[in-house]
Amino acid sequence: MAVPPKLTRFNQSVLSRYNIYNSIFMTLPFDAISKTGALLPLFHETCVNGYAEGKDATTIVEEFFEKYQSHRDTKRQINLLFRFIQYIERQVVLFDAIEDAAFPVVNNMDGIGTLRSLKEKASSENKMPLLRKLLSEFQVRMVLTAHPTQFYPGNVLAIITDLAKAIKKNDLTNINLLMGQLGKTPFFKHEKPTPYDEAVSLIWFLENVYYKSFGKIFDYIQQNIFEEEPLPNQIVEIGFWPGGDRDGNPFVTPEITLKVSRRLRQTILKNYYRDIRKLRRRLTFRGIEDRLQRLEKLLYAAVFEDAFDETFSLEGFKKELETIKTLIIQDHQSLFLSEINSFINKVQLFGFHFATLDIRQDSRVHHKVFTAMVDQLLQEGGSNLPADYHERSEAAQVALLSKIEGSLSPEQFEDTHVANTIKTIQILKKIQQENGEKGGNRYIISNNQTALNVMQLYAMLKLSAFQEDLTVDLVPLFETINDLENAPEVMEQLYSNAVYRDHVRSRGDQQTIMLGFSDGTKDGGYLMANWAIFKAKEALTSVSKKYGIVVIFFDGRGGPPARGGGNTHQFYASLGPNIEAKAVQLTIQGQTISSNFGTLDSSQYNMEQLISSGIQNYLTDTSTSMTAADRETMNDLAERSYQVYSDFKSHPMFLPYLERMSTLKYYAKTNIGSRPSKRGQSNELVFSDLRAIPFVGSWSQLKQNVPGFFGVGSALKHYEETATFEKVQQLYTHSSFFKTLIGNSMMSLSKSFFDLTKYMADDPEFGAFWNIIHDEYQMTKRLLLKLTGYEALMQHEPAGKASIQVRESIVLPLLTIQQFALRHIQQLEREGTPDPEELAVFEKIVTRSLFGNINASRNSA
């Protein structure tokens, strides 16, 4: 039987189900829900018709009130808007659960990009030995971050999970109960979570999803590609930032870091304990049962009695499991061999650490800490650095720091930042002792600009805890366009330092370098950021090879294209032969965790896609490299878009527009993350203080999505005006990299809706600025359609486009309410002395409306 097209499968399994279950939700026997459910379709229709007629949000809301709520006073009308917000939030959850349930139907779990497809392709082309060789060397590291774009509290995530399971089974009784629970469960957090709270929330995914799905991937590779032979490579790794990432987050303390690492260890041991108990029900054989019973007791003591036996080592655990496996083969006809193999694979994957806890801090913070540390030591005469250390050149300081010796303790320093930094490093050493080296062996330096930034950390690590053996990878993070351009020079300076080169040698001749898509795009615009990172990777690959070093690229990606997201699988498959690709490492943030890796099906599918995308180029003879002419075109496009975007950023209305016409300042009030929403303490809005998430998210809430397209259209227009558009078309035809960028930019355009803010065109202060954005949008859309030959945006992804359209339709009333409230706030502020209570009500409407809009986007733009 022929498989229906993906769009048909989406319509049958997602859209039809949503319409049915949404109608059930509307009739739940709760007074507030039933009344709201009856009125919301009328409000939705009013919005659709209103925007089609060119009306603004205020007019639409007021006409709705006049037609359907004229007998209600203002207070009750406002209460209805709040109920609409709450209802729409739950409609989004319902749609999420239905999409999750339909994931294996809509997506072909054995199709292109899956491991089965990869194996069959390699087998048909007699390339199985090559595939095994590649999988013996290749790794994917998915790093979970606590960046605040997850608007669902933990109890709502649990409802989504349970609802998806019930929908899969068509269990109407349970669906009805869960939708009732959904209707009664609050979404709003009254207090900000702590970093530990964030860690616990994400550990839920480790325990309930990745332990099973990633173990299943490992089992498949071993059984079907390596034919039951032991794998010489871990292949899948998980990184973890909550509790370790202190960049801009003063609430992450050394004590929190240790507490999170212990929670990670406890959780993986708890999973092992459960599996050992399951194994005991099957492996009831002489000589094996008593061994499993002993392991069960050790795990029980470690998990439930907090009595971790130091003699119970990971290596000893593995050795005992291998002994049990051997006995099963030798004495018990290999009964239940696959079960013990699967368990051994999980232990190989997750160790006693579950996920590697990364430490991250800003280089500017390190510099202040190191300067204060040196000043006190020089003053006390307790340093082997020269008295004129600060006056020495950067190269001289690097040379001095590479040879530094001594031992420091936090107690000897008055400066609390110095003491906490030393304590954090000592905690890192303790984590390695308790969880194994993989428990925490990376320290990321954000905003890295120089070799000195790296060597300051090197010196602090050596002085604080790692005098004998530095078992930590120093990971510079290059973010701005200038820093990306300077990155190869910085790394060459480090590689040419004999001491640092010895350190890299001790780490297996591998150097991890992180590249920031989010801040790169905020700084340089969409095309330039991606092209600058591409070129930086090529140059860093070259300079690393020169010194005999394998560079591992770690990409700091967000959910939307504007923060490096979009279709990441295609991105990694599009990288050419001049970029080292021994590993794919990337951050997974916020609601992208729950949407792309939140279920057993989606996490397995998307992880397989990442594995395949990283190695498929080595299996094919197709060249992904650009010609010299194509590189020249790509470079010119990036430069032109960068200039246009830079001019746009420099516009005098840029920051006032964001501050007064968008939701930027409301992100801090949502209580979704422990980290402050901006870096600096100034009351005045400063561009460099803006974090990428609220920056991109604010454009998304406006439905303008500027960071995902601005400058692209202007760059393309030059080629149209000079009658050389065929150069860009040639680049699009030849370059998978450029094609992926264009596809992701189309996604940003597809999620834009300028009718929502068209009223701004007549604003005496911001009208001209709004028109600049709108004109660039119109031009970019027209030229992307011309470039691709499409009649509509995302024509190549009809199912993805259909999903976006449904989500955008669900939140259209929510966006309207948000704009209505924003305009009311602007009007109150113009009056000079607004009523505080009235202002607070409308600000609360704006804040609450952020939740549903972000969740509906699933990748924040």
Side-chain angles (χ1 to χ4, degrees), residues 596-667:
N596 289 0
F597 293 88
T599 67
L600 294 173
D601 291 324
S602 64
S603 63
Q604 181 181 340
Y605 179 84
N606 284 309
M607 180 55 76
E608 287 191 20
Q609 292 284 325
L610 283 172
I611 294 170
S612 297
S613 69
I615 64 176
Q616 69 181 22
N617 288 337
Y618 294 102
L619 284 175
T620 63
D621 299 323
T622 305
S623 174
T624 53
S625 59
M626 292 188 197
T627 65
D630 286 341
R631 287 186 72 92
E632 185 178 338
T633 303
M634 182 70 231
N635 199 65
D636 186 64
L637 284 169
E639 291 289 350
R640 290 182 185 282
S641 68
Y642 180 44
Q643 187 58 56
V644 171
Y645 179 77
S646 298
D647 291 344
F648 176 65
K649 272 196 320 181
S650 301
H651 194 287
M653 288 292 105
F654 183 84
L655 287 176
Y657 183 83
L658 272 177
E659 191 168 26
R660 289 157 53 194
M661 304 300 278
S662 82
T663 59
L664 182 68
K665 62 185 177 184
Y666 298 95
Y667 267 77

Side-chain angles (χ1 to χ4, degrees), residues 258 261-262 265 308-314 352-353 425-441 464-467 469 471:
L258 183 60
S261 77
R262 287 176 171 169
R265 183 185 70 191
F308 190 80
D309 187 342
E310 291 188 5
T311 63
F312 179 38
S313 68
L314 178 60
F352 280 178
H353 63 285
I425 292 169
Q426 292 178 343
I427 290 294
L428 186 57
K429 182 72 174 284
K430 189 171 185 64
I431 290 170
Q432 291 191 1
Q433 291 166 348
E434 292 186 353
N435 294 11
E437 189 197 303
K438 286 189 176 179
N441 61 3
S464 301
F466 295 91
Q467 290 89 355
D469 186 14
T471 52

Side-chain angles (χ1 to χ4, degrees), residues 67 91 112 137 142 269-270 285 298 314 333 338 392 426 434 473 488 540 567 577 608 612 632 704 786 789 797 826:
K67 187 172 182 179
Q91 283 184 308
I112 294 172
E137 301 170 348
M142 184 180 83
L269 294 180
K270 182 167 65 174
F285 315 139
L298 287 168
L314 178 60
Q333 293 75 49
S338 61
R392 300 283 183 102
Q426 292 178 343
E434 292 186 353
D473 294 325
L540 289 165
N567 194 323
E608 287 191 20
S612 297
E632 185 178 338
Q704 294 175 359
K786 178 178 179 178
E797 289 187 71
Q826 291 157 12

Side-chain angles (χ1 to χ4, degrees), residues 259-553:
K259 189 177 180 182
V260 169
S261 77
R262 287 176 171 169
R263 180 64 177 253
L264 284 165
R265 183 185 70 191
Q266 182 191 47
T267 305
I268 189 57
L269 294 180
K270 182 167 65 174
N271 279 28
Y272 293 160
Y273 173 75
R274 288 173 181 158
D275 275 3
I276 285 285
R277 286 178 62 84
K278 291 176 185 175
L279 282 171
R280 281 193 64 198
R281 294 184 65 179
R282 296 288 171 262
L283 302 179
T284 52
F285 315 139
R286 190 187 306 274
I288 290 178
E289 189 175 22
D290 57 336
R291 289 176 179 274
L292 287 174
Q293 190 173 13
R294 177 180 168 274
L295 291 178
E296 182 187 336
K297 286 180 179 178
L298 287 168
L299 288 166
Y300 182 90
V303 174
F304 300 107
E305 298 173 353
D306 198 24
F308 190 80
D309 187 342
E310 291 188 5
T311 63
F312 179 38
S313 68
L314 178 60
E315 289 308 311
F317 189 39
K318 287 180 178 178
K319 188 176 180 181
E320 184 69 358
L321 291 171
E322 289 292 345
T323 300
I324 291 170
K325 175 181 172 180
T326 301
L327 290 171
I328 289 171
I329 295 169
Q330 290 178 352
D331 302 338
H332 303 289
Q333 293 75 49
S334 298
L335 279 171
F336 303 112
L337 180 62
S338 61
E339 281 85 346
I340 190 70
N341 266 339
S342 181
F343 184 60
I344 290 171
N345 286 343
K346 288 187 177 74
V347 176
Q348 182 173 336
L349 275 176
F350 304 116
F352 280 178
H353 63 285
F354 215 160
T356 300
L357 186 60
D358 287 345
I359 308 296
R360 185 174 77 132
Q361 184 56 283
D362 193 294
S363 66
R364 291 165 292 194
V365 174
H366 279 160
H367 182 73
K368 289 179 182 177
V369 164
F370 193 74
T371 301
M373 180 190 299
V374 171
D375 285 345
Q376 183 174 329
L377 290 173
L378 288 175
Q379 187 177 357
E380 296 172 352
S383 171
N384 56 6
L385 292 173
D388 64 344
Y389 169 80
H390 292 310
E391 284 71 52
R392 300 283 183 102
S393 67
E394 181 185 316
Q397 288 181 350
V398 166
L400 287 165
L401 296 181
S402 66
K403 298 173 185 176
I404 199 164
E405 294 180 351
S407 179
L408 303 176
S409 67
E411 293 77 18
Q412 70 188 90
F413 290 95
E414 301 167 2
D415 190 308
T416 55
H417 296 295
V418 175
N420 275 335
T421 301
I422 296 172
K423 196 182 293 185
T424 296
I425 292 169
Q426 292 178 343
I427 290 294
L428 186 57
K429 182 72 174 284
K430 189 171 185 64
I431 290 170
Q432 291 191 1
Q433 291 166 348
E434 292 186 353
N435 294 11
E437 189 197 303
K438 286 189 176 179
N441 61 3
R442 307 204 312 178
Y443 201 127
I444 299 157
I445 313 158
S446 53
N447 192 47
N448 197 97
Q449 298 178 341
T450 65
L452 182 60
N453 293 151
V454 177
M455 292 310 295
Q456 285 175 336
L457 175 60
Y458 174 88
M460 288 190 288
L461 287 165
K462 293 288 283 184
L463 292 170
S464 301
F466 295 91
Q467 290 89 355
E468 301 302 322
D469 186 14
L470 182 50
T471 52
V472 178
D473 294 325
L474 284 71
V475 183
L477 164 54
F478 300 101
E479 299 177 84
T480 68
I481 302 303
N482 283 338
D483 290 344
L484 288 165
E485 289 176 354
N486 295 332
E489 183 182 338
V490 169
M491 295 313 300
E492 177 137 38
Q493 190 178 349
L494 288 168
Y495 293 156
S496 60
N497 180 288
V499 173
Y500 188 80
R501 180 65 187 88
D502 283 344
H503 167 65
V504 175
R505 190 173 291 110
S506 74
R507 305 300 294 162
D509 278 324
Q510 291 190 345
Q511 170 68 54
T512 303
I513 299 174
M514 190 173 178
L515 304 164
F517 283 78
S518 294
D519 283 292
T521 305
K522 180 170 80 80
D523 180 58
Y526 179 66
L527 278 186
M528 176 54 90
N530 281 277
W531 180 234
I533 288 172
F534 186 94
K535 290 194 299 180
K537 284 186 174 183
E538 287 187 326
L540 289 165
T541 298
S542 178
V543 72
S544 298
K545 283 182 176 178
K546 175 181 171 182
Y547 288 89
I549 294 168
V550 175
V551 63
I552 305 295
F553 293 116

